[in-house]
Amino acid sequence: MKLGEKIRYFRRKKELTQKKLGILLGFSESNADTRISQYEAGIRKPSYFVLQNLSHQLDVAMHTLEAPDIDLQQKPLEAMHILFALEDAGLIHFTDSGIFIAAADKKFRRRLLEWEKMHTELPDAESYNNWRYRYEK
């Protein structure tokens, strides 16, 4: 999802209007809905400060909003270069049996194991998504 789509998705999930979210972010009542509409449409990009405030108001981790939009239909090369960067970082390795994610770093390994646990133990998709959207908030 693109940033604007994420903002719209999480705003609706919190049952906020564009105007109400804009007011919560500190915009004047006269232009609050316009600013949010511009963010959601991708016409305007929120500043770092506004992005921080958005993550707080929408109750999601800032990394959730900042995560890259990986559209395999539109940007397959971008997705491949993300995988190449993970390989460069030593997180993806090739073996005779295929590709695997390495977890040599203890902190990263802990996070991968936590992810696996939450994916298997949370009772439904909504609970899992709530966990991952707020991860390390």
Side-chain angles (χ1 to χ4, degrees):
M1 260 192 280
K2 293 182 173 124
L3 175 59
E5 293 169 323
K6 291 176 190 177
I7 294 169
R8 180 180 299 114
Y9 173 79
F10 292 115
R11 174 182 60 78
R12 288 178 174 168
K13 195 169 173 142
K14 295 285 285 185
E15 299 181 357
L16 295 170
T17 63
Q18 289 178 333
K19 187 175 213 71
K20 178 67 175 170
L21 178 57
I23 290 169
L24 288 171
L25 294 174
F27 300 129
S28 70
E29 193 170 334
S30 63
N31 74 349
D33 55 340
T34 302
R35 289 289 290 273
I36 301 304
S37 174
Q38 290 172 336
Y39 294 151
E40 290 181 359
I43 296 168
R44 186 179 201 141
K45 185 178 178 193
S47 68
Y48 182 80
F49 173 76
V50 172
L51 203 57
Q52 280 184 313
N53 200 357
L54 267 168
S55 77
H56 174 73
Q57 296 299 333
L58 297 174
D59 193 26
V60 297
M62 190 156 156
H63 293 292
T64 296
L65 297 176
E66 293 177 313
D69 176 31
I70 302 174
D71 182 341
L72 295 177
Q73 297 296 319
Q74 299 294 318
K75 300 178 181 179
L77 292 177
E78 182 178 326
M80 287 302 299
H81 282 277
I82 290 170
L83 294 172
F84 296 154
L86 291 171
E87 179 186 18
D88 290 344
L91 299 175
I92 289 181
H93 294 278
F94 294 90
T95 66
D96 292 340
S97 58
I99 299 172
F100 75 96
I101 298 176
D105 179 84
K106 288 180 183 179
K107 288 181 183 178
F108 188 68
R109 179 172 175 69
R110 178 188 58 80
R111 289 175 180 194
L112 286 176
L113 292 172
E114 180 184 12
W115 179 22
E116 178 185 36
K117 178 182 177 187
M118 296 309 239
H119 187 267
T120 57
E121 292 183 4
L122 288 173
D124 53 49
E126 183 176 353
S127 299
Y128 172 69
N129 284 334
N130 285 336
W131 171 79
R132 68 187 188 110
Y133 293 145
R134 292 179 181 90
Y135 184 73
E136 295 284 324
K137 184 172 182 241

